[in-house]
Amino acid sequence: MDIKSKAKRSENMSKIRSRNTKPELFLRSLLHRNGFRYRVNYPLVSGKPDLYFTKKRIAIFVHGCFWHRHEGCKYAYTPKSNVQFWIEKFNKNLRRDSVVREQLKAENIRVLVVWECTVRKMMKDETFEQDVLAEIKNFLELSIELYWEL
């Protein structure tokens, strides 16, 4: 049972955006301050990645834990009302993510997924922020991994 009216819940959900989220803006700012240059929501690449490094052929996606079902994360809960709708919605999102990942692999584009919970922790803990930034730099500059998650 939802504690909000249907109209209020609809209003709240309509305000959720897929681009320029706080975690995405934080990560973009951090990478830009550290000298990285990228394209934002680059339409010529499958899945329109949040960040795309054209010379390196690397796509970065900042995934929301709720929408993309981050396994074992407290933010990846399933709402108690309209459960069937949410399960179908989440499964559709996961299938789309998988298809995009395969398309990028076929295009020889490396993929880094940064989860919302990681960025939230980075916003609160400067040491953690620097550790994650070092891992991202390593992926961008040295790693040969095709797919990686933080």
Side-chain angles (χ1 to χ4, degrees):
M1 187 72 182
D2 200 348
I3 60 173
K4 296 190 183 295
S5 70
K6 218 171 185 174
K8 188 63 177 171
R9 177 64 61 205
S10 179
E11 180 186 334
N12 288 354
M13 295 306 285
S14 72
K15 291 178 182 175
I16 297 172
R17 297 290 165 228
S18 61
R19 293 181 183 184
N20 298 324
T21 62
K22 285 182 185 178
E24 184 183 334
L25 292 174
F26 177 83
L27 188 62
R28 281 175 20 194
S29 174
L30 179 66
L31 290 174
H32 194 274
R33 281 190 315 241
N34 282 275
F36 292 100
R37 300 300 180 257
Y38 45 80
R39 304 290 219 117
V40 177
N41 303 116
Y42 195 51
L44 301 180
V45 175
S46 298
K48 291 189 200 174
D50 298 316
L51 307 172
Y52 183 67
F53 297 82
T54 52
K55 291 178 184 172
K56 298 174 187 291
R57 298 183 57 80
I58 296 175
I60 295 182
F61 293 93
V62 182
H63 277 347
C65 297
F66 177 77
W67 298 105
H68 297 273
R69 312 312 295 159
H70 187 198
E71 222 174 293
C73 179
K74 69 179 181 178
Y75 300 117
Y77 63 91
T78 302
K80 303 262 187 283
S81 62
N82 206 359
V83 176
Q84 189 58 39
F85 165 82
W86 285 109
I87 290 173
E88 289 172 16
K89 172 74 173 160
F90 295 144
N91 287 338
K92 191 168 106 177
N93 288 351
L94 292 174
R95 279 192 302 274
R96 185 179 60 245
D97 290 346
S98 179
V99 166
V100 166
R101 199 167 36 249
E102 289 304 314
Q103 288 173 336
L104 292 173
K105 184 178 177 183
E107 295 172 26
N108 204 26
I109 295 173
R110 297 170 46 222
V111 176
L112 173 63
V113 172
V114 182
W115 289 100
E116 171 191 10
C117 59
T118 301
V119 178
R120 283 185 181 205
K121 190 171 179 185
M122 289 169 69
M123 291 174 165
K124 293 177 185 173
D125 183 351
E126 198 170 316
T127 304
F128 185 74
E129 174 187 317
Q130 292 306 310
D131 292 343
V132 172
L133 177 61
E135 291 185 50
I136 293 172
K137 283 181 178 180
N138 182 48
F139 183 82
L140 293 174
E141 296 170 350
L142 304 173
S143 177
I144 57 169
E145 297 287 328
L146 293 179
Y147 179 81
W148 202 36
E149 292 184 15
L150 287 173

